[in-house]
Structures are given as C-alpha cells and as structure tokens.
Amino acid sequence: MLLHSRICGTGSFLPPRRLTNADLVADLAARGIESSDEWIVERTGIRARHFADEGVFSSDMGAHAARQALDAAGLNPSDVDLIVVATSTPDMVFPSTAAIIQNKLGIAGCAAFDVQAVCSGFVYALTVADALIRTGSARTALVIGTEVFSRLLDFNDRTTCVLFGDGAGAVVLQASDAPGILASDLHADGRHVGILCVPGHVSGGQVMGDPLLKMNGQAVFKLAVGVLEESALAVLAKAGRTAADIDWLIPHQANIRIMNGTARRLKVPPERMVVTVDEHGNTSAASIPLALDHAVRAGKIRKGETLLLEGVGGGFTWGSVLLIL
C-alpha cells in the first residue's frame, strides 16, 4: 500500500511582547526618522508584531510550538522519530536548532536537522519530512518554523524594521494510509541573492560584513507575485487538481498586497485566504505554520479541507505544498 503523510496536529507560539505600529513609529521618531501607522498599513497590511525578550531564542519558541502540536495530535515527544526545523535565526552557528529543540523536548536518538530557505523554509521543511515519511525513514515528524528576526533588523531603516516579527509554528506530520500531502513544488534562483539578505558572517570571533537585514522591496514584490502563481499552478497540476479545489490559501505572511495579488490570480475569494500578517508581521519561516495553527484553533479550517501553502523568500527561494488536512 502506498504510504502517505498527513498533518495530525498544529501548534504555535508568539512572544508576549506585542508592538503596534504606533510603538515603532514613536521609536523611529526618537531617532529622527519619519513614519506613520497609515504608511505602514497601506504598504504592508501590518498593524502589530511580537518581539522576543532578551534571552529567548528560536529553540525556546520552537519547543513551545512543538509541544502544542504534539498535544493537539494526542502524542508524546517520545513518539517523534524526526525533527526538521526551518529557521534563518538559529540559536548558534552549530549545533542545529533542531538538536537543541530535541533536547528541550527531553528526547534523544531521532534524526534532527535544520533547513535554511528563509521565508520559504517551512514549505521546504514540510516537503523534506514528507519525503522521508514516504520512504519509510520516519513515521512521526515534527516540522517547525521558528524565527527571531527582530535581532536582524536595522531600526534606522524604516522600510524594513516595520515588516518583521518573531514567533514559531509547528505541525506533527505522521505516516498515513490516507492521502494528506498531495504534492509539492520547490524552486530557487541564486541570481537574486542580493535583493533580500543579511550579508554578514562570523570569522575569528568577530562579525564580518553587515549582520543586519537588507531588502530591495520593489524587486522582491515583482518577483514574488509571479513565481507564487507559477508554483501554485504547478503543484495543482502535479496533484491533478485545479484552483477551484482550494478550500484555503495559506500564503507566507509577508505583505498583504503580495498575498491579495496571488489570491486574485488564482481566483481564490478573499474570505478563503488566511491572513495573520496584520497582527504578526512577517515571521519568515514561522509565518505559514503560525497562520495555519491560528486558523485551525479558530475553527476556520477543518479536517478534510484542501489547503494550498506557499512561500517566497531570500535566496531567492519559493515553493508550494498542496495538502488535505
């Protein structure tokens, strides 16, 4: 019998510290930089975001989200035999954040590793975990997206510092006889590494280059809408479905204009797109699982519905996953 993988639990975590646009605008004004709530909302759809406190790391938030997802699935950490973490903000250079989360969950022995595809990271991680389950290498996987992007931001750059937030989301992916993940579609184009990057690294105990986020917003916007539509159509074709079969579109929560543009091209009604960017900002690899968990817990998304997840991010990376919850 053909083996499938299916999501059987979701979880998320947001740091308690919530910053509204007014909070950030006041901070920028103190630095002599002009901005406004209206300007931020009009261009991004973001009204608030959460920042982690000092001493809180990606692994802390990821472990919280993982425990929630395991509880929702009715499983214990000891049931897990694979952990895949998508993050661009690891706790350390090494070991992996996945290994640190494994330790915080009190388990040992199962495979654990990180995937780095920036804002597309969760889609990549979910695809990898699905493949390992389908080959029989694992039966119960934790797939986690967790980020502390607030520590990469240049608060003298009003075009980027208002966009991002911190958080984590997780799913439990388990082997199943019934179809769950129907198809995936992954891409990258390294010619565009410069339009969204953090061009720094550690050498000899010092930071070399610039450790703060840089983004060409217009270039990202132009690329994002086009590649997301192409990837969505490709994954639907692989699964033998059409856009009319999508019950819920869960895009990477980066910018409401990109999200609305993708939904329009796919003819997905606005009320069938999950939106959390207004309250969470762009949480990079955490944004899709955060949005999924919030919609599930709100009773919007129900078992048996067809979901299209899609992300786009630095690299330039992009991809989609079509699944039945």
Side-chain angles (χ1 to χ4, degrees), residues 47-64:
R47 297 181 183 276
R49 73 288 293 149
H50 293 251
F51 282 179
D53 288 334
E54 194 69 31
V56 175
F57 299 99
S58 287
S59 65
D60 297 312
M61 297 190 298
H64 275 289

Side-chain angles (χ1 to χ4, degrees), residues 237-308:
K238 289 179 183 180
R241 303 293 204 277
T242 69
D245 295 313
I246 301 169
D247 291 310
W248 291 97
L249 173 63
I250 310 180
H252 166 49
Q253 309 285 311
N255 181 305
I256 193 64
R257 293 187 299 157
I258 295 174
M259 295 161 63
N260 285 337
T262 304
R264 279 195 301 270
R265 291 187 178 205
L266 295 174
K267 297 183 171 59
V268 173
E271 63 272 15
R272 283 289 170 175
M273 180 173 69
V274 177
V275 177
T276 59
V277 68
D278 55 332
E279 280 297 315
H280 301 168
N282 180 347
T283 54
S284 189
S287 81
I288 292 174
L290 258 173
L292 171 61
D293 182 58
H294 276 240
V296 167
R297 291 177 187 271
K300 283 185 174 182
I301 295 177
R302 302 181 185 277
K303 287 288 185 183
E305 292 186 313
T306 300
L307 317 181
L308 176 63

Side-chain angles (χ1 to χ4, degrees), residues 106-255:
I107 55 178
C110 69
F113 58 91
D114 291 356
V115 170
Q116 218 284 42
V118 199
C119 302
S120 307
F122 184 77
V123 169
Y124 270 64
L126 196 60
T127 300
V128 170
D130 171 57
L132 288 171
I133 287 175
R134 285 175 180 263
T135 61
S137 297
R139 290 198 61 83
T140 303
L142 271 172
V143 186
I144 304 165
T146 181
E147 304 279 20
V148 280
F149 255 61
S150 61
R151 292 170 194 162
L152 302 178
L153 301 180
D154 180 356
F155 287 95
N156 290 310
D157 179 1
R158 70 168 188 166
T159 65
T160 58
C161 72
V162 300
L163 303 179
F164 295 90
D166 304 336
V171 302
V172 176
L173 194 66
Q174 199 163 44
S176 171
D177 294 333
I181 292 183
L182 302 175
S184 60
D185 182 69
L186 302 179
H187 299 275
D189 187 344
R191 292 176 298 177
H192 302 294
V193 295
I195 67 173
L196 178 55
C197 61
V198 178
H201 62 278
V202 176
S203 177
Q206 295 184 339
V207 175
M208 308 298 287
D210 192 337
L212 300 179
L213 185 144
K214 310 296 177 189
M215 184 174 74
N216 180 332
Q218 287 189 332
V220 169
F221 185 92
K222 288 177 182 177
L223 277 169
V225 176
V227 299
L228 287 175
E229 180 191 17
E230 291 171 7
S231 183
L233 295 175
V235 80
L236 287 165
K238 289 179 183 180
R241 303 293 204 277
T242 69
D245 295 313
I246 301 169
D247 291 310
W248 291 97
L249 173 63
I250 310 180
H252 166 49
Q253 309 285 311
N255 181 305

Side-chain angles (χ1 to χ4, degrees), residues 57-60 83 85-104 110-116 146:
F57 299 99
S58 287
S59 65
D60 297 312
I83 302 173
V85 173
T87 186
S88 299
T89 53
D91 291 20
M92 306 178 186
V93 173
F94 68 84
S96 69
T97 301
I100 299 171
I101 289 174
Q102 182 191 52
N103 181 51
K104 289 181 177 179
C110 69
F113 58 91
D114 291 356
V115 170
Q116 218 284 42
T146 181

